[in-house]
Every structure is written in C-alpha cells, then in structure tokens.
Amino acid sequence: MRDRTKRLARAAAAAVLALGCFGAANAETTLSVITTTPDLASIAREIGGDHITVESLAKGYQDPHFVDAKPSYLLKLRKADLFIEVGRDLEVGWAPGLLNNARNARIRPGGPGFVDASTGVSILEADGRVGREAGDVHPLGNPHYWLNPENGLTIAANVRDALERLAPTDAPYFRERYAAFESRLKAAMERWKKEAVALGLTGMKVVTYHRSWPYFAAAFGLDVVDYVEPRPGVPPAPRHVQQLIDLMKAQKVGLLIVEPYFDPKLPARIAQSAGVAMVVLPPSVGASPAATGYLDLFDAQFAIIRKALGGGKS
Amino acid sequence: MRAPTRAAVAVGALLLWGAAAATGAQAQPSASGGSLPSGTNLLNPAISAIGWFQAQGGDVLDQVGTSAFALREAEIGLQANVDPYSRADFFLSVSPEEGIDLEEGTVTFLALPAGLTAKLGKFRGNFGKFNRTHPPETPFADRPLVAERFLGEEGLSAEGVSASWLLPGLPFYANFDAEITNTPDLEGATAFAPHRGKDLLYLARLSAYFDLSEATNVTIGSSYANGANGAAADSLSLPPDPGALRASLIGADLTVRWKNPRRAIYRSLIAQLEWMQRRADLTAGPEITRSGGYAWVDLQFARRWHVGGRYDWSDALDPTEPERATGGLGFLTFVPSEFASLSGQLRRQTLGNGDTDTVFYLKTTFNIGPHGQHPF
C-alpha cells in the first residue's frame, strides 16, 4: 500500500514537473508595444500577433505632426516594452518630450525598446538643403513613407527584428508572421498597381494639399505637380490659389488629394474652379471606417479614387 | 521650520546620480537606435534661440527709465543627452537690463527606478503654472499682477535639486514634485528674501490630469513653497538676530483645454485659473497673509488667429502698500507660422489707491533652430 502511494506520488510529481516544463517551453511572451501612429500599430499587430499588445498614441484621423503630448500617454509609455515611431522628425513636436518624461529608459532612443521605423527606408526629399524659408520642413526627409506599401515591408522587418531582440524564444513565431504578411502585401501590391493603371492613376498629374503623398505617388506612378500649401505648414494665400487653379487647368490635372484633417472647403473650391475631382484620402489606418488595417488602408484609398474617377478609363 | 544642511542635499544629489547610473545600466544600445552617421558636429547640442521684441505705449512711458521699444529678451537654448542616463538643458537669457543670465541650467536623470526623475542645477521652481513658463513663451506681453508682486520680474528660480514622481497604480496621471533650492533673491517686494546660506527653499507640487473626452482635458495642481523671509531683526538689539524669518506660499491651479483632434490646427481653447496665498513671519507683529490670482482664456478661432483675455487680482505684499489691485488684459495674436507670433495687447489696471494705468503692447516673438516641443 505504501509502495503504491509512493508510486502515485512520484507519478504525480513527474506529471506536475512535466506540465511545468511544457508550460515553460510554451510560455508566450506578451510584450507591450506603443506606437506613435496606427499604421505602425497595425503592422506591429501583423508581426506580433497575440504575443503582443499594441496601441497607437495618435488616431488615424489626426494630423501626426500636431498631436498633443497628453500626460495620460505617459501612463501607457511607462509600462511599454517597445516604442515604435515613424521618425524623420514627424513626431518631433510631441514624442521626444513624452519619452523624456515616461520614466522608462528602455524605450528612449538608444534603448533596447526604441524603434525608429524609418531605418532602412529609402527616404525622399532628404537632399540636405533645408531652411525655415521653405516652411515647416523636415530636415531628415519626407516622413510619410508608410504610404508606399513596399515600405510597409521594411517597417515590418524593423518591428520583427525588435520583437526578436526582446523575445528571442518567440522569434520563429514572428518570422512566420512576417513571411505571411510579406506574401499578402506583395500580392496586394500587384493588385493595386494593376488597378492604378486601370483607373488611369498611373501617369496622372495630381495636386495634393500637404506633401503627404510623394511615396504613394512613387508607388503607383502619380505625378504630383503642385500643392495647396505653398510651403509645408503655410496656409495658401489668394494669389497662390489662383495660380494653382490656372496650373491645374493648364496641366490637365486629374485629381486633387486632401488629407482628412485639413478643412476641405478651400480645396473643394479649388477643385471646382479647376474642374478637377477632389478626394479626401485616408492617410492612415483609422482615418476612414474602411481603413481598418495597413492593407485595408490602401484598399480604402483605391475605393475612394475609383469612385471619384467614375471607375477609371475603361 | 528647520532647514537641512547643504551636506545632506549634496549627499542626496550623489545618491540620485548613482541610482540613475545603476538603473540606467540596463539600457543597452540597440541595433535600431542611432541611424545617423557619426561625426563631430552631430554630437553638438541642439541650439535654438527665441527673440522677444516689444513696443509699448500709454501710461507706462510716463515713468523714467521706460522706453517705447525694447528687445525684451533673447533666449538661447542648448539641449542634448549627456549619456544614456541623463540629459542637459541650458537656457541663457540675454536682455539689455540683465545682460547675460543663466535662466536655467540642469542635468536631468531620466533612468531612475520607481517612476522617478531628478534634476540638479538652476531651474524655475515648479510652483503653479505661470512660473514654469519661460517669459517669451507666455501669451502675454506682461506678467500677471500676482506673479509680478509675489514672485518678482524673473519668477521663482534658483539653484538646487528636484525630484519628480509619477504616482503608480492610479487610473489617471498624477505627479508629485519636490524641490530643495537656495532661497532666491527675487528683487523687490516678493514672496521670499534670502538670508543665510542654510535657509533653503522647499517646494512641493501635486498635479493630476484627466481626459474628459477625446477633445477636452483638465489639469489640476496644488503647490507649496516655504523659504526664508529675510533676517529676524530685533528692533531692540543690533545686529539682527541670526535666525531667519520664514514665509510660505500655497497655490492652486486649474487648466481646461479643448481641441478637436480631427481639426487640430484650426480651433482650440485654453482656460486657466491660478491662485496663490502668502503667509509670512514679520519681525514685529503677527504674521501677514496676502493672496492673489489670475484667470485667462485663449481662443484660437482660425488657423493663424488667437483672441483672449486675462483678469488679475492681487494684494500688495508690503503691508504698508495700498490694498488689492485689479486689472485686465486683452490680446489678439496673429501666428504666421509655428515659429513666430505678433500680438497686440491692451492692459488696464486699477491700483489699490484708485489710480488707473493703461498700457498697450505690440509683442512679437520669433524662434530659430530645431523644431521644439509643441506647448501643452
């Protein structure tokens, strides 16, 4: 009887030990990820899956240059394992102060939990000639690079590398999800490029409100000929508006693209005077109801353009 | 109200540095950080300058020594990380009256444990809201009555140590600040007066922030400062008693902000109320209590335009001076870009003796250098 009890006890202990080991081996690391924009959050979610929690400080309908550095953000940043920013000074007016006050050395620049998502991206308008006479320019180049879907892959690789660094045991999981994301993104990219051609978007001359769209234009072959803002961050004067209308007529501009956080009244007047279709395109995830994820963002943009152009050339 | 020795303060400062280095040692350089190429100039601090030029007219020009035009101040900032654990911020104020003055010069330890940060150096005391703001960056061409009378022309600023603690475990943001500094010489009839080196100023502030909605938020704060009020002179015996009198200042502030995040650059509103009360020991007679405050509102009604006003009230600190003065200031400000502003302002004050004083200002500010933090 005592032997049987001992055997049972040993078996139970072994089972508990085995379960414990199994549990430890399969323990999923849950990392807390905070991003500045929802596009980064969406890509982080694609790579991190259910091994991370992720939240964006800015909403998609906010101008990412002008987000208030609310103290309530410090509560989120204080507990974060990973902080991902667009970089290139896009968030210069609000993110550095938050990081300095978050009481979290891990996520400060240079720390293991800080990611500048622009690392490795081929940045446009970074020719080094900057001065405030050119408006509110970004000395490190145009920061709206996530609007070329191909740059989404570089962002995803940066996120994957950071997650692997913080949770090495989960590396296969992150790599697998990256590969799946890459496959979906490349397939979608082919589809979008075909649609851009079908819509007549490729090769089309366009005007945009702010310089948010050079990467989108590069991805799909648009030709941005001018801007509603005469210089970044500078509202247009009447003379510039008239010159812009004249230019749009002369150059047969096909589309006026406006970000949703700008007042649409003036660009609508410009578009009407020039006889050009105007679209308010979501520049970020969450900026329109259909833009629920990074890939959905581009689907949403094409849906809006398709509607504005009446289905394209064909 | 006994003051700790300077030795105790120095030991505390050293402990902070040690704690910062020990905790911050966990922060390792990463592959993702620092994508810029190396170069000597790239390690230079960020250099910025703010100019504050002002024209004024009205009753103020009746006084000797005033002038219609003034470059009130040029503020030069030098800011950079010192190492992985700390950053340094220097602000030099250059003005015709004061010459070159170190307005603030601090090293801040950002890698401390338990939600703490700490700084050493010369800094503006974290009392209320107005005192922390550098003069060119306030929306006003002048200082609120209570700030001028209680804290002087330059505000409460001194050398010392400061610790800031983000309170844990709360569903909202709350922060506690504690500072020990020299008792500042505030020039004129102001809240504190330095006596001996060991008569330090102690300051504490508790503030909390609440999001009422996506667009609206509230910040509340309470502050307390206790410092020397000059020598405890005894009229019957000279020289004065070596002990120092003390004075204390309590304050409360409320700030409400509104801004639609979907149209952030077009409309916003800030309303703020700040009140303070001073109690001071006197050489002869009972302690005296004086109070004052101000309330202001700034409405951004278009992308480049702000309109606002401020109401002031304040007792005079000197018991022999007339009683409470009141005043009002209105402003209309044009902001051509993020880096410049032009503001027309009109101020009218009624002093305790019934005299009135009307002044108009044209304040312009302009800054150059790297893009700084947006004000919040």
Side-chain angles (χ1 to χ4, degrees):
Chain A
M1 181 69 183
R2 266 186 302 179
D3 286 348
R4 214 173 93 182
T5 307
K6 276 183 185 174
R7 278 200 301 274
L8 277 172
R10 280 190 198 125
V16 168
L17 194 64
L19 279 172
C21 291
F22 180 78
N26 287 277
E28 290 175 355
T29 313
T30 304
L31 298 169
S32 168
V33 180
I34 299 292
T35 69
T36 54
T37 67
D39 312 289
L40 301 178
S42 175
I43 292 172
R45 204 170 284 117
E46 294 279 1
I47 308 304
D50 57 4
H51 288 206
I52 66 168
T53 61
V54 61
E55 189 176 353
S56 166
L57 296 180
K59 299 287 192 289
Y61 46 74
Q62 283 184 274
D63 184 340
H65 304 84
F66 295 99
V67 176
D68 280 338
K70 295 180 179 181
S72 48
Y73 294 159
L74 297 175
L75 301 182
K76 305 175 196 290
L77 290 168
R78 184 184 176 183
K79 297 172 187 167
D81 299 299
L82 190 65
F83 173 80
I84 310 171
E85 67 169 21
V86 173
R88 303 288 159 172
D89 276 1
L90 178 75
E91 307 97 334
V92 68
W94 54 283
L98 287 172
L99 292 180
N100 282 337
N101 287 293
R103 277 76 158 177
N104 186 348
R106 290 189 304 265
I107 60 168
R108 294 193 68 230
F114 174 85
V115 173
D116 176 348
S118 74
T119 304
V121 173
S122 182
I123 295 295
L124 302 176
E125 301 169 17
D127 56 9
R129 294 185 304 245
V130 292
R132 295 280 179 228
E133 69 277 8
D136 189 7
V137 292
H138 295 282
L140 302 177
N142 190 305
H144 300 273
Y145 59 84
W146 70 90
L147 285 167
N148 180 342
E150 285 168 347
N151 290 336
L153 271 185
T154 310
I155 299 169
N158 288 331
V159 173
R160 178 200 61 200
D161 293 348
L163 291 174
E164 284 185 23
R165 194 167 59 241
L166 294 178
T169 54
D170 290 347
Y173 175 79
F174 299 137
R175 283 176 201 165
E176 188 181 319
R177 290 190 65 90
Y178 173 83
F181 177 66
E182 181 182 28
S183 170
R184 282 194 294 130
L185 191 146
K186 284 183 172 171
M189 188 68 189
E190 277 188 32
R191 175 164 48 84
W192 293 324
K193 280 187 171 174
K194 282 179 188 165
E195 180 156 21
V197 173
L199 289 172
L201 201 57
T202 301
M204 180 182 282
K205 291 184 176 178
V206 301
V207 166
T208 70
Y209 193 104
H210 181 71
R211 296 183 189 218
S212 306
W213 305 95
Y215 295 93
F216 183 84
F220 301 112
L222 285 70
D223 179 10
V224 182
V225 296
D226 207 345
Y227 308 92
V228 176
E229 284 182 330
R231 296 179 179 88
V234 177
R239 194 167 73 168
H240 173 75
V241 169
Q242 189 54 53
Q243 286 172 345
L244 184 63
I245 291 168
D246 294 342
L247 179 139
M248 289 167 74
K249 286 177 179 171
Q251 297 219 14
K252 296 187 171 34
V253 165
L255 205 57
L256 173 59
I257 301 175
V258 182
E259 298 82 347
Y261 37 77
F262 290 116
D263 188 336
K265 287 199 281 289
L266 176 64
R269 280 209 308 271
I270 293 171
Q272 191 178 21
S273 300
V276 168
M278 184 185 98
V279 288
V280 179
L281 285 192
S284 280
V285 171
S288 76
T292 54
Y294 186 68
L295 301 185
D296 301 320
L297 169 66
F298 297 97
D299 282 332
Q301 291 168 349
F302 272 94
I304 292 168
I305 292 169
R306 194 185 311 125
K307 189 175 174 188
L309 296 179
K313 286 193 297 193
S314 54
Chain B
M1 290 187 267
R2 283 195 60 195
T5 65
R6 284 187 162 188
V9 175
V11 168
L14 286 172
L15 285 173
L16 285 173
W17 199 304
T23 312
Q26 297 165 6
Q28 298 296 321
S30 72
S32 62
S35 57
L36 292 172
S38 63
T40 307
N41 287 335
L42 293 176
L43 291 175
N44 282 342
I47 302 171
S48 61
I50 303 176
W52 173 12
F53 177 78
Q54 194 155 292
Q56 56 186 8
D59 295 338
V60 70
L61 294 183
D62 294 338
Q63 298 165 19
V64 175
T66 57
S67 50
F69 299 100
L71 181 61
R72 287 287 305 271
E73 187 177 313
E75 185 182 285
I76 297 161
L78 302 167
Q79 298 176 279
N81 288 324
V82 176
D83 55 28
Y85 325 115
S86 59
R87 61 175 285 114
D89 299 88
F90 291 93
F91 295 99
L92 301 167
S93 167
V94 185
S95 65
E97 293 84 12
E98 304 291 330
I100 299 175
D101 183 42
L102 179 64
E103 188 164 347
E104 289 197 277
T106 57
V107 58
T108 306
F109 302 101
L110 302 166
L112 296 176
L116 285 165
T117 61
K119 67 181 173 189
L120 314 173
K122 184 184 181 191
F123 48 86
R124 302 181 75 83
N126 198 1
F127 189 95
K129 298 297 282 187
F130 188 82
N131 192 66
R132 283 290 300 145
T133 312
H134 289 196
E137 293 161 16
T138 75
F140 316 125
D142 66 341
R143 296 172 63 75
L145 263 174
V146 68
E148 191 167 310
R149 288 184 162 188
F150 283 41
L151 305 175
E153 266 300 314
E154 302 302 318
L156 198 61
S157 174
E159 301 82 2
V161 299
S162 167
S164 182
W165 184 36
L166 180 57
L167 300 185
L170 297 172
F172 57 89
Y173 169 89
N175 201 78
F176 179 73
D177 292 274
E179 298 175 357
I180 304 173
T181 66
N182 296 329
T183 299
D185 184 355
L186 298 176
E187 299 174 8
T190 48
F192 304 105
H195 177 42
R196 301 164 303 186
K198 68 179 181 180
D199 296 322
L200 299 171
L201 178 81
Y202 308 97
L203 192 151
R205 175 171 170 79
L206 182 64
S207 59
Y209 168 92
F210 305 92
D211 282 311
L212 301 183
S213 69
E214 188 181 45
T216 310
N217 54 71
V218 175
T219 306
I220 55 173
S222 59
S223 311
Y224 175 80
N226 188 300
N229 188 30
D234 182 341
S235 59
L236 299 177
S237 62
L238 292 171
D241 185 295
L245 298 168
R246 303 294 289 180
S248 65
L249 200 59
I250 58 170
D253 52 82
L254 169 73
T255 306
V256 179
R257 293 183 187 83
W258 173 87
K259 184 189 286 182
N260 178 357
R262 295 169 192 264
R263 288 281 187 274
I265 61 173
Y266 297 104
R267 301 275 190 283
S268 65
L269 178 81
I270 300 177
Q272 190 171 87
L273 172 69
E274 181 168 1
W275 169 88
M276 61 184 82
Q277 184 181 73
R278 176 184 183 257
R279 292 183 181 189
D281 298 335
L282 292 181
T283 303
E287 67 170 26
I288 60 165
T289 302
R290 295 286 185 268
S291 65
Y294 65 91
W296 63 278
V297 63
D298 179 337
L299 171 68
Q300 182 195 5
F301 62 93
R303 182 167 179 178
R304 291 170 145 181
W305 289 94
H306 292 244
V307 64
R310 190 187 77 218
Y311 177 73
D312 288 308
W313 73 98
S314 176
D315 295 335
L317 289 189
D318 184 345
T320 64
E321 286 284 311
E323 281 301 311
R324 174 168 294 196
T326 57
L329 175 132
F331 60 85
L332 179 67
T333 302
F334 175 63
V335 185
S337 73
E338 275 191 75
F339 312 101
S341 69
L342 181 66
S343 183
Q345 310 200 356
L346 179 68
R347 187 189 75 183
R348 186 171 173 83
Q349 291 182 338
T350 303
L351 304 177
N353 58 11
D355 290 349
T356 58
D357 174 68
T358 305
V359 187
F360 62 85
Y361 302 99
L362 193 62
K363 174 185 181 182
T364 181
T365 61
F366 40 95
N367 64 68
I368 56 176
H371 195 307
Q373 183 86 1
H374 294 145
F376 183 76

